[in-house]
């Protein structure tokens, strides 16, 4: 994907889900046993299902962000 391409949908990721995925990404899977690795992968799959379920058109998210910025500026 080129950096100049526009995306028409944006995934909404909660802070908790960002933390979970960050924790999984930062772990070395070779240093954990099979049971722990399996639990981590199941957790990652669940997060990805939630993210896929809660996507919004990019224009909608941008409108909300712009309005929030306007409110904060007041």
């Amino acid at each position: 994907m080129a950096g100049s391409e526009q995306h028409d949908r944006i995934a909404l990721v909660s802070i908790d889900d960002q933390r979970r995925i960050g924790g999984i990404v930062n772990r070395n899977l070779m240093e954990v046993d099979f049971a722990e690795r399996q639990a981590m992968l199941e957790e990652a799959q669940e997060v990805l299902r939630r993210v896929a379920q809660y996507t919004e058109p990019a224009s909608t998210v941008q409108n909300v962000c712009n309005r929030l910025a306007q409110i904060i500026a007041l």
Side-chain angles (χ1 to χ4, degrees):
M1 232 186 251
S4 63
E5 287 184 28
Q6 292 292 324
H7 300 284
D8 62 344
R9 295 190 71 79
I10 295 175
L12 305 175
V13 183
S14 73
I15 299 298
D16 288 339
D17 284 345
Q18 289 178 35
R19 181 185 49 77
R20 285 183 182 100
I21 291 298
I24 292 169
V25 168
N26 290 331
R27 295 289 306 267
N28 182 346
L29 291 179
M30 301 309 290
E31 294 177 357
V32 296
D33 64 20
F34 179 79
E36 187 177 1
R37 187 178 314 141
Q38 198 65 18
M40 289 170 56
L41 294 175
E42 288 172 7
E43 184 177 26
Q45 287 176 335
E46 182 59 35
V47 168
L48 291 174
R49 275 193 286 275
R50 279 195 300 274
V51 169
Q53 183 179 9
Y54 296 108
T55 61
E56 294 290 339
S59 60
T60 300
V61 174
Q62 187 61 50
N63 286 336
V64 169
C65 290
N66 287 341
R67 287 187 188 136
L68 254 145
Q70 292 168 353
I71 290 169
I72 291 169
L74 292 175

